[in-house]
Amino acid sequence: MQTNAQTPALPWTLSAPTQAALRQRARQLRDFVVSGDPNPADLGLSLATREPAGEYRAVIVGRTAEELLAGLEVLAEGGTASNVVQGRAADWRPGGTVFVYPGQGGQWTSMAKALSAESPSFRRTLEECAEALEPYTDWSLLDVLDEVPGAVDIDRSDVVVVCLFAVMVALTELWRSHGIEPDAVTGHSLGEMPAAAVVGGLTLKDAARVTVIWGREYEKIDGRGTMAAVALSAAETERRLAGRTGLGLAAINGPKSVVVTGETDAVTELVAELRAERVAAMRIPVNVAAHSPHVDELREGIISGLDGIAPWSSPIPFYSSVAGGRKDTAGVGAGYWFLNLRETVRFEQAVNELVADGHHTFVEIGPHP
């Protein structure tokens, strides 16, 4: 099998009527690969377009021939691996595809650098974002993402917000270049900015301005608080927070997944208390108490800084994690973006409404799961 060069990540798809037959199919394909030396990309195309669709399915993802072959070995032996995904078609329900835009936390050193070099559509969109951002920043988006010596630090609060916005917009265009379009979108905190942009609720220039102003104001309260992820329901968390000063509910992400925000000492004390009770709790590596009264002082700066932006009604439904459900993007003006940073993120509620409206396929559009 050809192994002379690393390629972009490739999928090999397999299916069969039973789990045992799927493993047998993997063994047959493994033997063919070892003896036939096929081109990985050509084989991936044939598997994706010519394989009969069975109930039991698997996808192997790899950048090299060795990774793909190793995945086949794992599948053939009934094992598990990070690059092997298995499932049943019977478990899948048709429905609209939702693009989900996460909040801060998925950033990592060198994110987007390799993809920027490999994907023309991804790079082109980053360049469009850089042009839209240029009037509002005194630093270069492309220099930061390309890791040019002397570029500003991506860990700066106002910088990372902008970089995440641009990467998420560019990832959307990459999916679209492969024919995948969203039937609806939702976002978590800052993820609502790229979500509003990609559906046409905001022009790219206005969305860039929102992100820069939001990030600049956000940085003003850096160092004055923190947040923590907690494995409790919203109701139980609110019960525990009752009577405590300096703490609040920042986000409701799932039935037993919330984020607490507030004064650093108070958050640290709560995390220690929960851990002593064997409740999963973890400080998030941020120094900002977002979605709390700390944000109130930023209201005037956000609203005045965004004066004149002109949101539109988007043709693609936008599900707001501020409102907790579908919202007309004509209403995402300056005041909305203050609430986006100030109010509790009602992500679970937005997702539940998406599911109730018939959407069952969710694609996370972010640099890291």
Side-chain angles (χ1 to χ4, degrees):
M1 186 173 180
Q2 298 174 14
T3 59
N4 56 329
Q6 179 165 303
T7 64
L10 293 171
W12 282 357
T13 57
L14 296 86
S15 66
T18 67
Q19 188 70 55
L22 183 64
R23 290 196 294 270
Q24 177 61 26
R25 181 74 183 98
R27 288 191 286 270
Q28 291 171 347
L29 188 60
R30 175 196 61 193
D31 294 343
F32 168 75
V33 167
V34 171
S35 62
D37 193 32
N39 178 283
D42 290 345
L43 179 57
L45 178 61
S46 295
L47 290 169
T49 58
R50 298 178 185 175
E51 278 278 290
E55 182 176 344
Y56 289 80
R57 302 178 183 184
V59 179
I60 301 163
V61 180
R63 284 185 169 273
T64 65
E66 288 83 0
E67 288 179 0
L68 291 161
L69 185 57
L72 269 182
E73 293 278 5
V74 168
L75 184 59
E77 299 305 320
T80 60
S82 60
N83 68 328
V84 179
V85 180
Q86 299 184 63
R88 291 180 63 190
D91 296 332
W92 179 80
R93 293 183 292 171
T97 298
V98 182
F99 281 6
V100 182
Y101 296 84
Q104 189 173 347
Q107 68 270 12
W108 50 282
T109 304
S110 302
M111 72 172 179
K113 190 174 182 181
L115 189 56
S116 184
E118 295 167 358
S119 169
S121 67
F122 183 81
R123 180 66 184 192
R124 183 170 59 251
T125 308
L126 284 183
E127 291 169 351
E128 291 170 357
C129 288
E131 184 178 352
L133 289 160
E134 189 174 6
Y136 312 115
T137 62
D138 58 2
W139 50 272
S140 166
L141 168 74
L142 296 178
D143 283 356
V144 174
L145 294 178
D146 292 341
E147 297 183 291
V148 173
V152 298
D153 190 346
I154 195 173
D155 289 330
R156 233 173 66 183
S157 296
D158 59 326
V159 175
V160 71
V161 166
V162 172
C163 290
L164 285 168
F165 164 80
V167 168
M168 285 189 266
V169 171
L171 284 170
T172 302
E173 293 310 309
L174 179 60
W175 280 91
R176 283 175 159 165
S177 72
H178 290 285
I180 309 299
E181 291 282 347
D183 296 297
V185 299
T186 191
H188 191 290
S189 192
L190 74 88
E192 290 203 304
M193 298 166 205
V198 301
V199 297
L202 291 171
T203 65
L204 184 60
K205 187 172 182 179
D206 274 354
R209 182 176 165 196
V210 168
T211 307
V212 171
I213 297 301
W214 193 97
R216 283 180 185 170
E217 294 298 316
Y218 180 82
E219 189 185 27
K220 290 179 182 178
I221 57 172
D222 194 11
R224 292 196 235 162
T226 191
M227 294 186 280
V230 175
L232 289 175
S233 69
E236 173 63 14
T237 303
E238 288 176 332
R239 186 187 69 77
R240 285 177 173 269
L241 297 184
R244 293 176 184 253
T245 58
L247 288 175
L249 192 58
I252 305 169
N253 296 331
K256 284 196 172 183
S257 177
V258 301
V259 175
V260 173
T261 183
E263 305 290 344
T264 302
D265 289 346
V267 172
T268 302
E269 181 181 341
L270 177 65
V271 168
E273 175 186 308
L274 291 171
R275 285 181 171 176
E277 298 175 21
R278 298 188 180 278
V279 175
M282 179 181 68
R283 272 275 303 271
I284 297 172
V286 295
N287 297 313
V288 178
H291 308 288
S292 79
H294 284 234
V295 177
D296 289 340
E297 67 185 77
L298 308 180
R299 184 180 186 277
E300 183 178 350
I302 291 175
I303 292 178
S304 63
L306 297 180
D307 182 47
I309 65 168
W312 306 44
S313 293
S314 65
I316 299 172
F318 174 90
Y319 285 72
S320 164
S321 59
V322 176
R326 185 168 177 175
K327 182 176 179 62
D328 185 346
T329 50
V332 295
Y336 180 84
W337 297 110
F338 165 71
L339 295 177
N340 168 274
L341 183 57
R342 171 63 177 89
E343 297 299 309
T344 299
V345 180
R346 304 189 180 281
F347 184 72
E348 181 191 19
Q349 190 175 333
V351 169
N352 286 342
E353 187 164 323
L354 279 158
V355 173
D357 288 347
H359 300 285
H360 302 302
T361 303
F362 290 74
V363 181
E364 185 175 4
I365 309 293
H368 193 277

